[in-house]
Amino acid sequence: MKAKPQLILTFVLMAVFCFVLVSSLSFPLGVRIYAWFAAVWGLIMSISYLVIQFRKQGGNAEASPSAKINVRRMVMWFGSIAGVMLGTWLFGYGVAALLFVLSYLKMNGRGWVESVGLTALVALLLWGFFNSVLHTSWIDGVVPLWLGF
Amino acid sequence: MNIEAMGTALGVLLSPTGAIFLMLGTCVGLTVGAIPGLSGIVGMTLLLPFILPLEPEVAILMFIGVTAVTHTGDTVPAVLFGVPGTAGAMATVVDGYPMAKKGEAARALSAAYTVSAMGGVIGAVFLLATVPIVRELVLLMKSPELLMMALMGLSMVGVLATRAPLMGLALAAFGLLVSQVGTHLATGTCRWWFGQAYLVDGVPTIPAILGIFGFTEMSDLAIRSTKISAKAEELGKGAWQGVRDGFHHWFLMLRCSAIGVWIGVIPGVGAAVADWMAYGHAVQTEKPRESFGTGDVRGVIASESANNSKAGGSLLPTLAFGVPGSGSMIVLLAAFTMLGVVPGPKLFTETPQLIYVIIWGLAVANIIGCLLCFALTKPMAKICQMPIAILAPLVMVFLFIGVQQTTNTMWDLYTLVFFGILGYILKKVDWPRIPIVLGLVLGGIIERYLFISNASYGISWLWRPGVIIIFLLTIAGVIYASRGMGQVSKGERR
């Protein structure tokens, strides 16, 4: 089947619409109708799309030569994002953001001077502009709390 | 028209204090607009503690400076990174970012600034013209008409999701469902909150929008390891072409500014709706239309003229009735209270010079904002040539800060990443992301006005003349657009 990722996504969406239909049974009628309207509409569109896709015939999409490199970059990128999330939860955003910038630059082969310089610039923006001038707040980590800071 | 009051107001504007504080407000507005996740509310809140020692006219000028140009500043990240600076710049991303990818960032930015200034001035002129009839104008739109306006906005899905229309409609339904998460306003029923207090108030729009647009685009660039634009030699070129585009498409700019003003007048609807309505209108009415979404300057012109003219419209109910049309107008009302200025009909009769200060300030701030941004267009366009390994982490740091301003919890980050990954998957399978955003933004408005309409009028709201007119306009727009799309498809097949 040519459109395999699209089909998987369509089934996921259909599952969401079915979940909405079933779970909204417990809502009062006035609340339920709007949810049902959207879910039924979504289901009809998804089923119509599936019917059209199944009637189309096509071969499997071939993997491109750069697919492996893309997967590596994807793992690196989303891994970095997961790292920021974990770092924010543990140490707070002020620390996690700096670690993210430094590690991402180094992972992408940038020199130490450039990486540290840009991280320092980000630190200046975070603490000097966002924190001191704009008074924006960010998430505090659990470790400083545990340590009593 | 009170010429004497107009002259007095102009004197305040041209005084050194007035000019300095208007300029200060304009700079703050541009800055907060350009930082994704921050908005005019942040800028105005920032200035709030400093207004007490100032003359009311001067303090108000400063606030008008912020509110007038926030939507000029938000164009910068929308065009350069595909990250809307505020919710009102979402539609700008659709054509502005592809223009930057094609090496036309300077053209897109300067076209946006030109029409932003013109749209802002039109908003100010509208405010001036409607002073005598303000009451009748605002009361013209009741909840059934507002509901139909929101449905009209939702009908734009059919126009904006031409590549995968069926799944575009399904994704709009998904967006509508996401907008229903949280407490139902009328009954208090809590829907799909999965035991998380974060979801009781619903899915916050800002992290979701920044995820769908900003996170997705940065992820795509980082994974492909490419620069935003590969055309180094063309960067910075086309700035004057953008200005010419703005004047060349003056009628489109005028129509979209009118849409922006009208949406602004309606309290609680917001710049995001004005933006999409104007963009959808451009796609429906402009020919040829197949280039929309691929880097067409008309798409930028439509959305940018609407979101700047909206400021004039949203000031109207704020000044005339003390009914804030948006979050930034609430802060403006707070500033009025601190300064001892009471909004309402008497404001127009007893202190007309204050109204004219606002009108002058709105027009002049837009022009100053345009000139300041225009001067920076060429250097800013060169950001598109920055290596993505440097750009991506820097932009993500701003994105993460922006979303944390919603509730300052980890859930803001989870929302950003969830919608970001969803947006990335949709981009990879070539399905439109816009319908989810439209459903999300309009879903709450539709639900609110549907409930109020039913409670106030029963079923009879369906027969109100305004409702029938807007319904017919919606149907006509969809038919006209689908006929045009059909012709485009036939042309493509040939």
Side-chain angles (χ1 to χ4, degrees):
Chain A
M1 185 63 66
K2 192 180 179 182
K4 204 174 173 184
Q6 283 88 335
L7 288 184
I8 295 168
L9 198 56
T10 311
F11 281 119
V12 171
L13 273 176
M14 284 173 68
V16 172
F17 294 136
C18 290
F19 166 75
V20 166
L21 281 177
V22 176
S23 60
S24 57
L25 280 171
S26 60
F27 299 161
L29 184 67
V31 182
R32 194 193 314 158
I33 283 179
Y34 186 38
W36 275 24
F37 167 74
V40 170
W41 169 15
L43 264 180
I44 292 171
M45 292 303 141
S46 306
I47 292 168
S48 311
Y49 177 79
L50 279 182
V51 170
I52 291 170
Q53 289 303 311
F54 279 120
R55 287 175 68 179
K56 277 184 187 171
Q57 293 296 318
N60 285 322
E62 286 177 20
S64 67
S66 61
K68 266 189 178 177
I69 302 168
N70 273 349
V71 169
R72 191 167 55 84
R73 286 200 201 119
M74 200 184 289
V75 169
M76 196 166 84
W77 174 254
F78 287 114
S80 303
I81 298 297
V84 179
M85 309 274 280
L86 185 67
T88 305
W89 178 67
L90 284 173
F91 308 111
Y93 184 69
V95 177
L98 302 184
L99 287 175
F100 165 64
V101 173
L102 184 67
S103 59
Y104 191 81
L105 288 169
K106 280 310 295 167
M107 278 192 294
N108 279 276
R110 315 303 299 192
W112 274 107
V113 176
E114 193 179 18
S115 304
V116 173
L118 278 166
T119 308
L121 183 73
V122 170
L124 192 70
L125 273 172
L126 279 180
W127 301 101
F129 180 65
F130 282 102
N131 194 258
S132 304
V133 180
L134 292 183
H135 301 292
T136 48
S137 51
W138 50 65
I139 299 164
D140 296 318
V142 289
V143 171
L145 281 176
W146 290 339
L147 295 175
F149 290 113
Chain B
M1 197 172 291
N2 191 333
I3 302 293
E4 192 187 332
M6 278 181 84
T8 311
L10 189 62
V12 173
L13 183 79
L14 295 177
S15 69
T17 331
I20 288 169
F21 279 94
L22 180 69
M23 187 68 112
L24 176 69
T26 307
C27 291
V28 171
L30 290 173
T31 309
V32 293
I35 300 170
L38 303 189
S39 62
I41 302 172
V42 174
M44 290 164 96
T45 315
L46 187 73
L47 297 174
L48 213 51
F50 305 107
I51 61 170
L52 281 176
L54 300 174
E55 289 289 317
E57 286 88 354
V58 173
I60 287 170
L61 264 181
M62 183 165 69
F63 274 79
I64 293 298
V66 179
T67 196
V69 299
T70 305
H71 292 301
T72 308
D74 66 8
T75 315
V76 177
V79 169
L80 297 183
F81 316 128
V83 181
T86 69
M90 284 188 286
T92 309
V93 173
V94 180
D95 276 296
Y97 184 57
M99 282 183 79
K101 281 180 171 173
K102 289 195 286 187
E104 294 181 331
R107 183 184 172 193
L109 286 172
S110 55
Y113 301 147
T114 308
V115 296
S116 289
M118 290 196 280
V121 173
I122 287 170
V125 171
F126 171 83
L127 191 60
L128 179 70
T130 49
V131 166
I133 53 159
V134 60
R135 186 181 156 78
E136 288 72 17
L137 197 72
V138 174
L139 294 181
L140 199 66
M141 299 290 279
K142 296 232 165 50
S143 35
E145 286 80 15
L146 299 177
L147 169 65
M148 291 311 292
M149 290 285 286
L151 287 173
M152 189 189 217
L154 197 62
S155 75
M156 300 295 177
V157 169
V159 180
L160 299 172
T162 50
R163 276 177 302 171
L166 284 175
M167 287 323 290
L169 291 167
L171 290 167
F174 178 74
L176 284 177
L177 289 173
V178 173
S179 77
Q180 291 175 48
V181 170
T183 312
H184 186 258
L185 284 176
T187 62
T189 310
C190 224
R191 297 164 294 185
W192 309 300
W193 66 301
F194 306 108
Q196 298 300 331
Y198 181 79
L199 294 175
V200 170
D201 287 335
V203 175
T205 317
I206 292 295
I209 290 169
L210 288 179
I212 284 180
F213 287 112
F215 187 98
T216 299
E217 292 303 338
M218 278 303 123
S219 300
D220 184 51
L221 286 172
I223 291 164
R224 285 193 293 119
S225 191
T226 178
K227 290 171 183 170
I228 292 171
S229 174
K231 298 178 178 176
E233 70 283 358
E234 291 172 19
L235 284 170
K237 284 186 182 173
W240 287 108
Q241 176 63 40
V243 177
R244 281 196 291 274
D245 287 329
F247 284 101
H248 179 69
H249 297 289
W250 65 272
F251 189 50
L252 174 67
M253 182 275 302
L254 202 63
R255 290 186 334 254
C256 294
S257 298
I259 291 172
V261 164
W262 189 241
I263 299 288
V265 169
I266 304 167
V269 178
V273 180
D275 203 31
W276 285 118
M277 289 277 280
Y279 186 80
H281 168 76
V283 179
Q284 278 179 326
T285 55
E286 289 287 303
K287 286 178 182 170
R289 61 183 64 149
E290 60 270 28
S291 55
F292 279 102
T294 59
D296 191 319
V297 75
R298 292 171 300 170
V300 176
I301 288 170
S303 58
E304 282 305 309
S305 45
N307 64 23
N308 270 59
S309 64
K310 186 202 152 277
S314 58
L315 276 167
L316 202 61
T318 312
L319 296 173
F321 306 116
V323 177
S326 61
S328 53
M329 289 299 120
I330 295 172
V331 185
L332 188 68
L333 271 185
F336 279 170
T337 312
M338 285 170 74
L339 295 164
V341 176
V342 182
K346 280 186 180 174
L347 188 67
F348 289 79
T349 51
E350 290 178 3
T351 49
Q353 75 280 2
L354 211 56
I355 298 295
Y356 288 115
V357 161
I358 291 170
I359 293 168
W360 280 120
L362 197 60
V364 173
N366 270 290
I367 294 166
I368 292 173
C370 164
L371 293 175
L372 280 175
C373 287
F374 193 74
L376 296 170
T377 297
K378 284 186 182 178
M380 281 194 296
K382 293 194 172 151
I383 292 174
C384 297
Q385 265 297 301
M386 233 170 140
I388 198 64
I390 295 175
L391 190 66
L394 296 182
V395 174
M396 288 308 291
V397 165
F398 286 113
L399 267 188
F400 281 127
I401 288 184
V403 296
Q404 285 174 71
Q405 303 318 303
T406 313
T407 62
N408 203 22
T409 62
M410 283 300 290
W411 283 95
D412 292 330
L413 301 186
Y414 299 149
T415 311
L416 173 86
V417 173
F418 172 79
F419 281 96
I421 292 174
L422 177 65
Y424 182 72
I425 294 170
L426 292 177
K427 190 178 172 79
K428 287 291 119 185
V429 300
D430 204 21
W431 281 359
R433 287 169 284 163
I434 299 167
I436 297 187
V437 177
L438 271 181
L440 186 61
V441 170
L442 293 173
I445 297 171
I446 291 171
E447 183 169 41
R448 184 166 66 243
Y449 288 127
L450 181 64
F451 171 76
I452 298 171
S453 301
N454 277 329
S456 308
Y457 304 94
I459 196 79
S460 66
W461 66 264
L462 284 165
W463 316 118
R464 287 172 63 88
V467 168
I468 294 170
I469 291 169
I470 301 170
F471 177 73
L472 291 175
L473 281 174
T474 307
I475 297 292
V478 169
I479 291 171
Y480 181 72
S482 51
R483 277 179 62 197
M485 292 301 172
Q487 284 162 6
V488 170
S489 304
K490 280 177 193 170
E492 282 171 356
R493 279 199 292 273
R494 276 200 291 271

